Amino acid sequence: GAVVSQHPSWVICKSGTSVKIECRSLDFQATTMFWYRQFPKQSLMLMATSNEGSKATYEQGVEKDKFLINHASLTLSTLTVTSAHPEDSSFYICSARDLSNGNQPQHFGDGTRLSIL
Amino acid sequence: GQQLNQSPQSMFIQEGEDVSMNCTSSSIFNTWLWYKQDPGEGPVLLIALYKAGELTSNGRLTAQFGITRKDSFLNISASIPSDVGIYFCAGTGYSSASKIIFGSGTRLSIRP
């Protein structure tokens, strides 16, 4: 089945540093990738949608200068949390979808747990 | 915007019991999806539903796409310990590029 690999699976860093999270589709082309944020015991909240080669579309309330998204190839998207602070600590999950091949569902990565000290 | 109301929020089951959970919306959805999320992992797709009235099974799991396109249910028969986790319903609109809207989740636990 379709596999999405997310790296790293967890990261702890000091306040003020920037953190990059990678999301790769391993056996299909991801024309569209999605980035979610999940707080404990809550549902997934969509942060942004990115199409390969285009700028990401951010959801209302998500700072695009804070959460930089790059989707330069059909198999890789990155999310960079810039100048991270403790309130950015969360579980970040990516998902990928191939919209060039019919109504294919989204496939999710295993998430990245980000802890800012 | 579109919202999904998922119930129950949590439930305790004994091994062997059947489980039922559902999602409703005030808006019409084109696709209904059911995911399971284990602690520290991403959601895993269980069942995808694409047509109103569609009833689909995946092993002990059965899900239906409501006729009105505004609801869906998921049933788990003869539950086992590995069924424990959080189940999310999700839906997409008519555009294939539409983002997925997630329900609030149902936390399934084993009754001690």
Side-chain angles (χ1 to χ4, degrees), chain A residues 5-40:
Chain A
S5 173
Q6 193 170 336
H7 179 79
S9 55
W10 60 271
V11 59
I12 302 173
C13 60
K14 293 180 180 179
S15 183
T17 56
S18 293
V19 179
K20 180 185 282 188
I21 302 170
E22 292 187 348
C23 182
R24 295 180 185 272
S25 58
L26 298 185
D27 52 0
F28 67 101
Q29 61 178 17
T31 57
T32 305
M33 285 189 168
F34 305 84
W35 287 94
Y36 294 83
R37 184 173 181 176
Q38 186 179 32
F39 290 108

PDB file of all heavy atoms in Angstrom, chain A residues 5-40:
ATOM      1  N   SER A   5       6.483   8.554   4.616  1.00  0.00           N
ATOM      2  CA  SER A   5       7.510   8.536   5.651  1.00  0.00           C
ATOM      3  C   SER A   5       7.739   9.942   6.178  1.00  0.00           C
ATOM      4  O   SER A   5       7.946  10.880   5.392  1.00  0.00           O
ATOM      5  CB  SER A   5       8.812   7.974   5.075  1.00  0.00           C
ATOM      6  OG  SER A   5       9.868   8.080   6.004  1.00  0.00           O
ATOM      7  N   GLN A   6       7.724  10.097   7.471  1.00  0.00           N
ATOM      8  CA  GLN A   6       7.915  11.411   8.083  1.00  0.00           C
ATOM      9  C   GLN A   6       9.143  11.349   8.992  1.00  0.00           C
ATOM     10  O   GLN A   6       9.328  10.395   9.751  1.00  0.00           O
ATOM     11  CB  GLN A   6       6.661  11.793   8.881  1.00  0.00           C
ATOM     12  CG  GLN A   6       6.610  13.244   9.300  1.00  0.00           C
ATOM     13  CD  GLN A   6       5.257  13.630   9.875  1.00  0.00           C
ATOM     14  OE1 GLN A   6       4.233  12.997   9.580  1.00  0.00           O
ATOM     15  NE2 GLN A   6       5.246  14.657  10.697  1.00  0.00           N
ATOM     16  N   HIS A   7       9.958  12.401   8.927  1.00  0.00           N
ATOM     17  CA  HIS A   7      11.198  12.403   9.695  1.00  0.00           C
ATOM     18  C   HIS A   7      11.544  13.809  10.183  1.00  0.00           C
ATOM     19  O   HIS A   7      11.366  14.770   9.424  1.00  0.00           O
ATOM     20  CB  HIS A   7      12.342  11.898   8.800  1.00  0.00           C
ATOM     21  CG  HIS A   7      13.678  11.887   9.466  1.00  0.00           C
ATOM     22  ND1 HIS A   7      14.085  10.911  10.332  1.00  0.00           N
ATOM     23  CD2 HIS A   7      14.685  12.793   9.428  1.00  0.00           C
ATOM     24  CE1 HIS A   7      15.287  11.172  10.776  1.00  0.00           C
ATOM     25  NE2 HIS A   7      15.681  12.307  10.245  1.00  0.00           N
ATOM     26  N   PRO A   8      11.985  14.011  11.400  1.00  0.00           N
ATOM     27  CA  PRO A   8      12.190  12.969  12.407  1.00  0.00           C
ATOM     28  C   PRO A   8      10.879  12.583  13.078  1.00  0.00           C
ATOM     29  O   PRO A   8       9.872  13.265  12.909  1.00  0.00           O
ATOM     30  CB  PRO A   8      13.142  13.650  13.391  1.00  0.00           C
ATOM     31  CG  PRO A   8      12.747  15.092  13.313  1.00  0.00           C
ATOM     32  CD  PRO A   8      12.382  15.342  11.875  1.00  0.00           C
ATOM     33  N   SER A   9      10.902  11.526  13.863  1.00  0.00           N
ATOM     34  CA  SER A   9       9.687  11.117  14.570  1.00  0.00           C
ATOM     35  C   SER A   9       9.512  11.930  15.849  1.00  0.00           C
ATOM     36  O   SER A   9       8.382  12.078  16.339  1.00  0.00           O
ATOM     37  CB  SER A   9       9.728   9.628  14.883  1.00  0.00           C
ATOM     38  OG  SER A   9      10.911   9.304  15.601  1.00  0.00           O
ATOM     39  N   TRP A  10      10.609  12.402  16.387  1.00  0.00           N
ATOM     40  CA  TRP A  10      10.485  13.316  17.522  1.00  0.00           C
ATOM     41  C   TRP A  10      11.714  14.205  17.584  1.00  0.00           C
ATOM     42  O   TRP A  10      12.800  13.837  17.144  1.00  0.00           O
ATOM     43  CB  TRP A  10      10.281  12.565  18.836  1.00  0.00           C
ATOM     44  CG  TRP A  10      11.370  11.623  19.209  1.00  0.00           C
ATOM     45  CD1 TRP A  10      11.481  10.317  18.861  1.00  0.00           C
ATOM     46  CD2 TRP A  10      12.522  11.906  20.022  1.00  0.00           C
ATOM     47  NE1 TRP A  10      12.630   9.769  19.379  1.00  0.00           N
ATOM     48  CE2 TRP A  10      13.290  10.720  20.108  1.00  0.00           C
ATOM     49  CE3 TRP A  10      12.988  13.041  20.663  1.00  0.00           C
ATOM     50  CZ2 TRP A  10      14.484  10.646  20.823  1.00  0.00           C
ATOM     51  CZ3 TRP A  10      14.173  12.971  21.387  1.00  0.00           C
ATOM     52  CH2 TRP A  10      14.898  11.773  21.455  1.00  0.00           C
ATOM     53  N   VAL A  11      11.538  15.383  18.128  1.00  0.00           N
ATOM     54  CA  VAL A  11      12.645  16.330  18.244  1.00  0.00           C
ATOM     55  C   VAL A  11      12.424  17.213  19.455  1.00  0.00           C
ATOM     56  O   VAL A  11      11.304  17.649  19.733  1.00  0.00           O
ATOM     57  CB  VAL A  11      12.803  17.165  16.949  1.00  0.00           C
ATOM     58  CG1 VAL A  11      11.532  17.934  16.629  1.00  0.00           C
ATOM     59  CG2 VAL A  11      13.984  18.094  17.025  1.00  0.00           C
ATOM     60  N   ILE A  12      13.511  17.434  20.173  1.00  0.00           N
ATOM     61  CA  ILE A  12      13.508  18.339  21.325  1.00  0.00           C
ATOM     62  C   ILE A  12      14.552  19.400  21.041  1.00  0.00           C
ATOM     63  O   ILE A  12      15.695  19.073  20.703  1.00  0.00           O
ATOM     64  CB  ILE A  12      13.867  17.595  22.623  1.00  0.00           C
ATOM     65  CG1 ILE A  12      12.880  16.444  22.862  1.00  0.00           C
ATOM     66  CG2 ILE A  12      13.855  18.551  23.813  1.00  0.00           C
ATOM     67  CD1 ILE A  12      13.270  15.549  24.025  1.00  0.00           C
ATOM     68  N   CYS A  13      14.165  20.652  21.165  1.00  0.00           N
ATOM     69  CA  CYS A  13      15.160  21.698  20.916  1.00  0.00           C
ATOM     70  C   CYS A  13      14.871  22.927  21.772  1.00  0.00           C
ATOM     71  O   CYS A  13      13.820  23.033  22.408  1.00  0.00           O
ATOM     72  CB  CYS A  13      15.198  22.066  19.438  1.00  0.00           C
ATOM     73  SG  CYS A  13      13.650  22.691  18.809  1.00  0.00           S
ATOM     74  N   LYS A  14      15.849  23.805  21.770  1.00  0.00           N
ATOM     75  CA  LYS A  14      15.736  25.012  22.586  1.00  0.00           C
ATOM     76  C   LYS A  14      14.849  26.042  21.914  1.00  0.00           C
ATOM     77  O   LYS A  14      14.745  26.101  20.675  1.00  0.00           O
ATOM     78  CB  LYS A  14      17.124  25.620  22.816  1.00  0.00           C
ATOM     79  CG  LYS A  14      18.047  24.780  23.669  1.00  0.00           C
ATOM     80  CD  LYS A  14      19.394  25.490  23.838  1.00  0.00           C
ATOM     81  CE  LYS A  14      20.340  24.661  24.704  1.00  0.00           C
ATOM     82  NZ  LYS A  14      21.662  25.333  24.848  1.00  0.00           N
ATOM     83  N   SER A  15      14.260  26.881  22.722  1.00  0.00           N
ATOM     84  CA  SER A  15      13.437  27.963  22.205  1.00  0.00           C
ATOM     85  C   SER A  15      14.276  28.879  21.318  1.00  0.00           C
ATOM     86  O   SER A  15      15.425  29.198  21.635  1.00  0.00           O
ATOM     87  CB  SER A  15      12.864  28.745  23.379  1.00  0.00           C
ATOM     88  OG  SER A  15      12.014  29.761  22.942  1.00  0.00           O
ATOM     89  N   GLY A  16      13.727  29.272  20.194  1.00  0.00           N
ATOM     90  CA  GLY A  16      14.417  30.169  19.275  1.00  0.00           C
ATOM     91  C   GLY A  16      15.048  29.484  18.083  1.00  0.00           C
ATOM     92  O   GLY A  16      15.386  30.137  17.092  1.00  0.00           O
ATOM     93  N   THR A  17      15.176  28.174  18.146  1.00  0.00           N
ATOM     94  CA  THR A  17      15.760  27.452  17.015  1.00  0.00           C
ATOM     95  C   THR A  17      14.679  27.138  15.986  1.00  0.00           C
ATOM     96  O   THR A  17      13.489  27.176  16.287  1.00  0.00           O
ATOM     97  CB  THR A  17      16.434  26.149  17.458  1.00  0.00           C
ATOM     98  OG1 THR A  17      15.470  25.340  18.156  1.00  0.00           O
ATOM     99  CG2 THR A  17      17.602  26.426  18.364  1.00  0.00           C
ATOM    100  N   SER A  18      15.139  26.826  14.779  1.00  0.00           N
ATOM    101  CA  SER A  18      14.211  26.431  13.713  1.00  0.00           C
ATOM    102  C   SER A  18      14.302  24.929  13.506  1.00  0.00           C
ATOM    103  O   SER A  18      15.383  24.346  13.603  1.00  0.00           O
ATOM    104  CB  SER A  18      14.546  27.169  12.419  1.00  0.00           C
ATOM    105  OG  SER A  18      14.295  28.543  12.553  1.00  0.00           O
ATOM    106  N   VAL A  19      13.191  24.332  13.233  1.00  0.00           N
ATOM    107  CA  VAL A  19      13.113  22.878  13.094  1.00  0.00           C
ATOM    108  C   VAL A  19      12.495  22.526  11.752  1.00  0.00           C
ATOM    109  O   VAL A  19      11.454  23.070  11.382  1.00  0.00           O
ATOM    110  CB  VAL A  19      12.247  22.266  14.217  1.00  0.00           C
ATOM    111  CG1 VAL A  19      12.150  20.762  14.054  1.00  0.00           C
ATOM    112  CG2 VAL A  19      12.811  22.637  15.582  1.00  0.00           C
ATOM    113  N   LYS A  20      13.131  21.615  11.039  1.00  0.00           N
ATOM    114  CA  LYS A  20      12.608  21.180   9.752  1.00  0.00           C
ATOM    115  C   LYS A  20      12.099  19.754   9.848  1.00  0.00           C
ATOM    116  O   LYS A  20      12.789  18.870  10.352  1.00  0.00           O
ATOM    117  CB  LYS A  20      13.685  21.267   8.662  1.00  0.00           C
ATOM    118  CG  LYS A  20      13.181  20.816   7.282  1.00  0.00           C
ATOM    119  CD  LYS A  20      14.270  20.789   6.242  1.00  0.00           C
ATOM    120  CE  LYS A  20      14.597  22.156   5.736  1.00  0.00           C
ATOM    121  NZ  LYS A  20      15.525  22.107   4.580  1.00  0.00           N
ATOM    122  N   ILE A  21      10.892  19.535   9.330  1.00  0.00           N
ATOM    123  CA  ILE A  21      10.281  18.207   9.307  1.00  0.00           C
ATOM    124  C   ILE A  21      10.092  17.808   7.848  1.00  0.00           C
ATOM    125  O   ILE A  21       9.587  18.597   7.048  1.00  0.00           O
ATOM    126  CB  ILE A  21       8.922  18.210  10.026  1.00  0.00           C
ATOM    127  CG1 ILE A  21       9.094  18.685  11.476  1.00  0.00           C
ATOM    128  CG2 ILE A  21       8.298  16.820   9.997  1.00  0.00           C
ATOM    129  CD1 ILE A  21       7.779  18.950  12.191  1.00  0.00           C
ATOM    130  N   GLU A  22      10.488  16.579   7.517  1.00  0.00           N
ATOM    131  CA  GLU A  22      10.360  16.103   6.136  1.00  0.00           C
ATOM    132  C   GLU A  22       9.219  15.096   6.007  1.00  0.00           C
ATOM    133  O   GLU A  22       8.986  14.292   6.907  1.00  0.00           O
ATOM    134  CB  GLU A  22      11.655  15.419   5.685  1.00  0.00           C
ATOM    135  CG  GLU A  22      12.840  16.349   5.543  1.00  0.00           C
ATOM    136  CD  GLU A  22      14.027  15.639   4.932  1.00  0.00           C
ATOM    137  OE1 GLU A  22      14.003  14.392   4.827  1.00  0.00           O
ATOM    138  OE2 GLU A  22      14.993  16.329   4.556  1.00  0.00           O
ATOM    139  N   CYS A  23       8.570  15.142   4.864  1.00  0.00           N
ATOM    140  CA  CYS A  23       7.492  14.211   4.567  1.00  0.00           C
ATOM    141  C   CYS A  23       7.721  13.668   3.161  1.00  0.00           C
ATOM    142  O   CYS A  23       7.807  14.443   2.201  1.00  0.00           O
ATOM    143  CB  CYS A  23       6.149  14.939   4.642  1.00  0.00           C
ATOM    144  SG  CYS A  23       4.710  13.895   4.338  1.00  0.00           S
ATOM    145  N   ARG A  24       7.853  12.361   3.050  1.00  0.00           N
ATOM    146  CA  ARG A  24       8.133  11.737   1.753  1.00  0.00           C
ATOM    147  C   ARG A  24       7.088  10.680   1.413  1.00  0.00           C
ATOM    148  O   ARG A  24       6.690   9.886   2.274  1.00  0.00           O
ATOM    149  CB  ARG A  24       9.497  11.042   1.760  1.00  0.00           C
ATOM    150  CG  ARG A  24      10.676  11.963   1.929  1.00  0.00           C
ATOM    151  CD  ARG A  24      11.998  11.212   1.923  1.00  0.00           C
ATOM    152  NE  ARG A  24      13.111  12.107   2.194  1.00  0.00           N
ATOM    153  CZ  ARG A  24      13.763  12.789   1.268  1.00  0.00           C
ATOM    154  NH1 ARG A  24      13.427  12.661  -0.002  1.00  0.00           N
ATOM    155  NH2 ARG A  24      14.761  13.575   1.597  1.00  0.00           N
ATOM    156  N   SER A  25       6.655  10.691   0.162  1.00  0.00           N
ATOM    157  CA  SER A  25       5.824   9.601  -0.329  1.00  0.00           C
ATOM    158  C   SER A  25       6.775   8.589  -0.963  1.00  0.00           C
ATOM    159  O   SER A  25       7.584   8.934  -1.811  1.00  0.00           O
ATOM    160  CB  SER A  25       4.804  10.117  -1.354  1.00  0.00           C
ATOM    161  OG  SER A  25       5.450  10.756  -2.432  1.00  0.00           O
ATOM    162  N   LEU A  26       6.691   7.347  -0.500  1.00  0.00           N
ATOM    163  CA  LEU A  26       7.707   6.365  -0.889  1.00  0.00           C
ATOM    164  C   LEU A  26       7.381   5.587  -2.161  1.00  0.00           C
ATOM    165  O   LEU A  26       8.277   5.143  -2.867  1.00  0.00           O
ATOM    166  CB  LEU A  26       7.949   5.385   0.263  1.00  0.00           C
ATOM    167  CG  LEU A  26       8.493   6.021   1.546  1.00  0.00           C
ATOM    168  CD1 LEU A  26       8.808   4.955   2.580  1.00  0.00           C
ATOM    169  CD2 LEU A  26       9.716   6.881   1.276  1.00  0.00           C
ATOM    170  N   ASP A  27       6.122   5.395  -2.461  1.00  0.00           N
ATOM    171  CA  ASP A  27       5.817   4.561  -3.622  1.00  0.00           C
ATOM    172  C   ASP A  27       4.708   5.144  -4.489  1.00  0.00           C
ATOM    173  O   ASP A  27       4.055   4.424  -5.238  1.00  0.00           O
ATOM    174  CB  ASP A  27       5.434   3.144  -3.173  1.00  0.00           C
ATOM    175  CG  ASP A  27       4.344   3.160  -2.122  1.00  0.00           C
ATOM    176  OD1 ASP A  27       3.894   4.257  -1.740  1.00  0.00           O
ATOM    177  OD2 ASP A  27       3.939   2.076  -1.676  1.00  0.00           O
ATOM    178  N   PHE A  28       4.509   6.453  -4.361  1.00  0.00           N
ATOM    179  CA  PHE A  28       3.543   7.104  -5.247  1.00  0.00           C
ATOM    180  C   PHE A  28       3.918   8.583  -5.334  1.00  0.00           C
ATOM    181  O   PHE A  28       4.674   9.085  -4.508  1.00  0.00           O
ATOM    182  CB  PHE A  28       2.108   6.939  -4.742  1.00  0.00           C
ATOM    183  CG  PHE A  28       1.796   7.649  -3.448  1.00  0.00           C
ATOM    184  CD1 PHE A  28       1.107   8.855  -3.443  1.00  0.00           C
ATOM    185  CD2 PHE A  28       2.196   7.114  -2.231  1.00  0.00           C
ATOM    186  CE1 PHE A  28       0.822   9.509  -2.250  1.00  0.00           C
ATOM    187  CE2 PHE A  28       1.915   7.750  -1.034  1.00  0.00           C
ATOM    188  CZ  PHE A  28       1.223   8.959  -1.042  1.00  0.00           C
ATOM    189  N   GLN A  29       3.423   9.233  -6.341  1.00  0.00           N
ATOM    190  CA  GLN A  29       3.716  10.656  -6.479  1.00  0.00           C
ATOM    191  C   GLN A  29       2.658  11.458  -5.707  1.00  0.00           C
ATOM    192  O   GLN A  29       1.474  11.216  -5.843  1.00  0.00           O
ATOM    193  CB  GLN A  29       3.744  11.068  -7.952  1.00  0.00           C
ATOM    194  CG  GLN A  29       2.467  10.868  -8.723  1.00  0.00           C
ATOM    195  CD  GLN A  29       2.606  11.350 -10.162  1.00  0.00           C
ATOM    196  OE1 GLN A  29       3.705  11.536 -10.674  1.00  0.00           O
ATOM    197  NE2 GLN A  29       1.497  11.548 -10.832  1.00  0.00           N
ATOM    198  N   ALA A  30       3.142  12.347  -4.891  1.00  0.00           N
ATOM    199  CA  ALA A  30       2.252  13.154  -4.052  1.00  0.00           C
ATOM    200  C   ALA A  30       2.051  14.516  -4.709  1.00  0.00           C
ATOM    201  O   ALA A  30       2.828  15.441  -4.498  1.00  0.00           O
ATOM    202  CB  ALA A  30       2.839  13.311  -2.661  1.00  0.00           C
ATOM    203  N   THR A  31       1.000  14.621  -5.508  1.00  0.00           N
ATOM    204  CA  THR A  31       0.734  15.914  -6.145  1.00  0.00           C
ATOM    205  C   THR A  31       0.332  16.952  -5.105  1.00  0.00           C
ATOM    206  O   THR A  31       0.551  18.143  -5.287  1.00  0.00           O
ATOM    207  CB  THR A  31      -0.393  15.775  -7.184  1.00  0.00           C
ATOM    208  OG1 THR A  31      -1.561  15.260  -6.524  1.00  0.00           O
ATOM    209  CG2 THR A  31      -0.004  14.813  -8.292  1.00  0.00           C
ATOM    210  N   THR A  32      -0.274  16.468  -4.020  1.00  0.00           N
ATOM    211  CA  THR A  32      -0.719  17.362  -2.963  1.00  0.00           C
ATOM    212  C   THR A  32      -0.308  16.792  -1.614  1.00  0.00           C
ATOM    213  O   THR A  32      -0.451  15.590  -1.369  1.00  0.00           O
ATOM    214  CB  THR A  32      -2.250  17.532  -2.992  1.00  0.00           C
ATOM    215  OG1 THR A  32      -2.646  17.965  -4.295  1.00  0.00           O
ATOM    216  CG2 THR A  32      -2.708  18.567  -1.971  1.00  0.00           C
ATOM    217  N   MET A  33       0.218  17.666  -0.769  1.00  0.00           N
ATOM    218  CA  MET A  33       0.557  17.261   0.601  1.00  0.00           C
ATOM    219  C   MET A  33      -0.126  18.191   1.588  1.00  0.00           C
ATOM    220  O   MET A  33      -0.352  19.366   1.294  1.00  0.00           O
ATOM    221  CB  MET A  33       2.070  17.254   0.805  1.00  0.00           C
ATOM    222  CG  MET A  33       2.753  16.052   0.149  1.00  0.00           C
ATOM    223  SD  MET A  33       4.490  15.930   0.626  1.00  0.00           S
ATOM    224  CE  MET A  33       4.892  14.310   0.021  1.00  0.00           C
ATOM    225  N   PHE A  34      -0.447  17.648   2.729  1.00  0.00           N
ATOM    226  CA  PHE A  34      -1.160  18.387   3.763  1.00  0.00           C
ATOM    227  C   PHE A  34      -0.362  18.303   5.066  1.00  0.00           C
ATOM    228  O   PHE A  34       0.217  17.269   5.383  1.00  0.00           O
ATOM    229  CB  PHE A  34      -2.551  17.772   4.000  1.00  0.00           C
ATOM    230  CG  PHE A  34      -3.399  17.668   2.764  1.00  0.00           C
ATOM    231  CD1 PHE A  34      -3.263  16.593   1.900  1.00  0.00           C
ATOM    232  CD2 PHE A  34      -4.345  18.637   2.467  1.00  0.00           C
ATOM    233  CE1 PHE A  34      -4.051  16.477   0.756  1.00  0.00           C
ATOM    234  CE2 PHE A  34      -5.140  18.541   1.331  1.00  0.00           C
ATOM    235  CZ  PHE A  34      -4.985  17.463   0.488  1.00  0.00           C
ATOM    236  N   TRP A  35      -0.382  19.401   5.804  1.00  0.00           N
ATOM    237  CA  TRP A  35       0.271  19.419   7.114  1.00  0.00           C
ATOM    238  C   TRP A  35      -0.767  19.697   8.186  1.00  0.00           C
ATOM    239  O   TRP A  35      -1.554  20.636   8.086  1.00  0.00           O
ATOM    240  CB  TRP A  35       1.372  20.483   7.158  1.00  0.00           C
ATOM    241  CG  TRP A  35       2.577  20.077   6.366  1.00  0.00           C
ATOM    242  CD1 TRP A  35       2.861  20.394   5.066  1.00  0.00           C
ATOM    243  CD2 TRP A  35       3.654  19.255   6.806  1.00  0.00           C
ATOM    244  NE1 TRP A  35       4.045  19.827   4.674  1.00  0.00           N
ATOM    245  CE2 TRP A  35       4.560  19.122   5.727  1.00  0.00           C
ATOM    246  CE3 TRP A  35       3.962  18.620   8.014  1.00  0.00           C
ATOM    247  CZ2 TRP A  35       5.742  18.377   5.818  1.00  0.00           C
ATOM    248  CZ3 TRP A  35       5.143  17.879   8.104  1.00  0.00           C
ATOM    249  CH2 TRP A  35       6.011  17.770   7.012  1.00  0.00           C
ATOM    250  N   TYR A  36      -0.745  18.831   9.204  1.00  0.00           N
ATOM    251  CA  TYR A  36      -1.691  18.936  10.310  1.00  0.00           C
ATOM    252  C   TYR A  36      -0.938  19.131  11.617  1.00  0.00           C
ATOM    253  O   TYR A  36       0.214  18.746  11.772  1.00  0.00           O
ATOM    254  CB  TYR A  36      -2.521  17.653  10.423  1.00  0.00           C
ATOM    255  CG  TYR A  36      -3.453  17.372   9.269  1.00  0.00           C
ATOM    256  CD1 TYR A  36      -2.989  16.751   8.113  1.00  0.00           C
ATOM    257  CD2 TYR A  36      -4.799  17.712   9.342  1.00  0.00           C
ATOM    258  CE1 TYR A  36      -3.834  16.483   7.058  1.00  0.00           C
ATOM    259  CE2 TYR A  36      -5.667  17.442   8.289  1.00  0.00           C
ATOM    260  CZ  TYR A  36      -5.173  16.831   7.155  1.00  0.00           C
ATOM    261  OH  TYR A  36      -6.014  16.565   6.102  1.00  0.00           O
ATOM    262  N   ARG A  37      -1.678  19.665  12.572  1.00  0.00           N
ATOM    263  CA  ARG A  37      -1.167  19.814  13.920  1.00  0.00           C
ATOM    264  C   ARG A  37      -2.186  19.179  14.852  1.00  0.00           C
ATOM    265  O   ARG A  37      -3.397  19.329  14.643  1.00  0.00           O
ATOM    266  CB  ARG A  37      -1.006  21.301  14.234  1.00  0.00           C
ATOM    267  CG  ARG A  37      -0.384  21.610  15.565  1.00  0.00           C
ATOM    268  CD  ARG A  37      -0.128  23.109  15.647  1.00  0.00           C
ATOM    269  NE  ARG A  37       0.506  23.441  16.912  1.00  0.00           N
ATOM    270  CZ  ARG A  37       0.912  24.657  17.245  1.00  0.00           C
ATOM    271  NH1 ARG A  37       0.739  25.677  16.405  1.00  0.00           N
ATOM    272  NH2 ARG A  37       1.486  24.877  18.399  1.00  0.00           N
ATOM    273  N   GLN A  38      -1.696  18.451  15.842  1.00  0.00           N
ATOM    274  CA  GLN A  38      -2.603  17.775  16.762  1.00  0.00           C
ATOM    275  C   GLN A  38      -2.149  17.983  18.193  1.00  0.00           C
ATOM    276  O   GLN A  38      -1.039  17.589  18.551  1.00  0.00           O
ATOM    277  CB  GLN A  38      -2.686  16.283  16.440  1.00  0.00           C
ATOM    278  CG  GLN A  38      -3.712  15.522  17.259  1.00  0.00           C
ATOM    279  CD  GLN A  38      -3.777  14.049  16.878  1.00  0.00           C
ATOM    280  OE1 GLN A  38      -2.788  13.450  16.491  1.00  0.00           O
ATOM    281  NE2 GLN A  38      -4.953  13.454  16.997  1.00  0.00           N
ATOM    282  N   PHE A  39      -3.006  18.565  19.007  1.00  0.00           N
ATOM    283  CA  PHE A  39      -2.738  18.710  20.429  1.00  0.00           C
ATOM    284  C   PHE A  39      -3.268  17.475  21.141  1.00  0.00           C
ATOM    285  O   PHE A  39      -4.140  16.775  20.622  1.00  0.00           O
ATOM    286  CB  PHE A  39      -3.374  19.993  20.958  1.00  0.00           C
ATOM    287  CG  PHE A  39      -2.698  21.240  20.454  1.00  0.00           C
ATOM    288  CD1 PHE A  39      -3.314  22.057  19.515  1.00  0.00           C
ATOM    289  CD2 PHE A  39      -1.436  21.592  20.907  1.00  0.00           C
ATOM    290  CE1 PHE A  39      -2.680  23.207  19.046  1.00  0.00           C
ATOM    291  CE2 PHE A  39      -0.801  22.727  20.441  1.00  0.00           C
ATOM    292  CZ  PHE A  39      -1.426  23.530  19.508  1.00  0.00           C
ATOM    293  N   PRO A  40      -2.761  17.212  22.364  1.00  0.00           N
ATOM    294  CA  PRO A  40      -3.180  16.005  23.100  1.00  0.00           C
ATOM    295  C   PRO A  40      -4.692  15.900  23.216  1.00  0.00           C
ATOM    296  O   PRO A  40      -5.380  16.878  23.529  1.00  0.00           O
ATOM    297  CB  PRO A  40      -2.514  16.194  24.467  1.00  0.00           C
ATOM    298  CG  PRO A  40      -1.315  17.022  24.187  1.00  0.00           C
ATOM    299  CD  PRO A  40      -1.733  17.983  23.108  1.00  0.00           C
TER     300      PRO A  40
END
